[in-house]
Amino acid sequence: MTRSAIERYCATHGGDHATAEAEIRSLLENLIATGTHQRVEGGAWRLLAREGFSLLLSPDAARILGYGTAHRDRTYGQVKAGVPSRSRSRRRTDKGWVLALQDDLPVRFTTLVLRRFARDVLGTEFTRSTGKKVVEAAYSRSTHVQPDPPSNHAGRRRATDEAGLRWHFAYEPGERPAVIHLSWEPDCGPQAAAQDGGS
């Protein structure tokens, strides 16, 4: 099992590496027996659960390369046990339209990234009516800073654009790169502009 898969689990659900490894192994056992198995680019295997969980295996199925889920607030065991989601239903409905705006892009953005980009860069809100414009602008700007992926196509990279906006990219084998966070270099962005205006 790769460190990337374990860290992805921990980043999503919390907990320590030992717990993550045990949970991922349990998920693997269930997916081998009941999941859908797909070959993906490069010969790797993707195992999918209809409950919204996936594992990416090496072409020889000897190593777990990646972990993915649609349930940030629940593990596979919790979903199977019927533990209710703590997410608000509005967030679940938002997710579908946000993802649909990005279907044809070679990179994807989290909703939080799109909200921050809309507010800090475009001076607007990220809503259904502004969504297409925000996604197009974020994608256009991100193409100027997108770093080379890690050698094993798993891990994270950070790049800063000419205005001091830091783009945090996450890579997972067989997946599109994702921008998972935006931050500003010191003395850049809206806060710096507010300070300049107040002095």
Side-chain angles (χ1 to χ4, degrees), residues 8-23:
R8 179 73 181 265
Y9 182 98
C10 291
T12 303
H13 302 296
D16 57 29
H17 284 199
T19 301
E21 187 168 346
E23 290 283 341

Side-chain angles (χ1 to χ4, degrees), residues 38-89:
Q38 302 173 342
R39 276 280 194 187
V40 296
E41 186 178 337
W45 288 97
R46 182 175 309 286
L47 278 57
L48 303 162
R50 64 178 172 269
E51 294 86 359
F53 293 83
S54 68
L55 292 176
L56 188 71
L57 306 183
S58 60
D60 62 1
R63 293 190 332 140
I64 300 170
L65 304 175
Y67 169 81
T69 181
H71 303 276
R72 288 193 61 82
D73 64 333
R74 292 182 294 168
T75 66
Y76 181 71
Q78 290 170 329
V79 170
K80 293 294 281 183
V83 173
S85 172
R86 296 181 297 276
S87 297
R88 295 180 301 175
S89 59

Side-chain angles (χ1 to χ4, degrees), residues 4-196:
S4 172
I6 292 172
E7 288 182 348
R8 179 73 181 265
Y9 182 98
C10 291
T12 303
H13 302 296
D16 57 29
H17 284 199
T19 301
E21 187 168 346
E23 290 283 341
I24 290 171
R25 288 190 191 285
S26 175
L27 173 60
L28 175 63
E29 291 173 10
N30 281 281
L31 291 181
I32 288 171
T34 64
T36 302
H37 307 166
Q38 302 173 342
R39 276 280 194 187
V40 296
E41 186 178 337
W45 288 97
R46 182 175 309 286
L47 278 57
L48 303 162
R50 64 178 172 269
E51 294 86 359
F53 293 83
S54 68
L55 292 176
L56 188 71
L57 306 183
S58 60
D60 62 1
R63 293 190 332 140
I64 300 170
L65 304 175
Y67 169 81
T69 181
H71 303 276
R72 288 193 61 82
D73 64 333
R74 292 182 294 168
T75 66
Y76 181 71
Q78 290 170 329
V79 170
K80 293 294 281 183
V83 173
S85 172
R86 296 181 297 276
S87 297
R88 295 180 301 175
S89 59
R90 183 174 179 271
R91 282 188 184 163
R92 287 197 299 272
T93 56
D94 280 355
K95 188 172 185 182
W97 70 266
V98 173
L99 291 176
L101 289 171
Q102 306 177 60
D103 277 346
D104 299 327
L105 299 180
V107 65
R108 64 183 179 82
F109 305 89
T110 66
T111 303
L112 289 176
V113 162
L114 292 168
R115 284 183 183 148
R116 180 153 199 186
F117 185 85
R119 184 191 70 214
D120 289 3
V121 177
L122 302 178
T124 188
E125 295 293 319
F126 179 62
T127 64
R128 284 181 187 263
S129 61
T130 64
K132 184 176 180 184
K133 177 180 129 186
V134 171
V135 168
E136 287 173 352
Y139 172 65
S140 176
R141 188 153 168 179
S142 73
T143 59
H144 300 291
V145 295
Q146 188 169 346
D148 291 330
S151 58
N152 62 353
H153 295 280
R156 298 192 178 180
R157 291 279 190 268
R158 186 174 72 187
T160 303
D161 68 22
E162 69 285 348
L165 183 58
R166 283 187 283 204
W167 299 75
H168 300 252
F169 290 84
Y171 297 85
E172 186 175 328
E175 297 281 353
R176 291 180 288 170
V179 180
I180 59 171
H181 184 62
L182 290 178
S183 60
W184 291 96
E185 294 286 353
D187 302 320
C188 295
Q191 290 182 334
Q195 290 170 355
D196 289 345

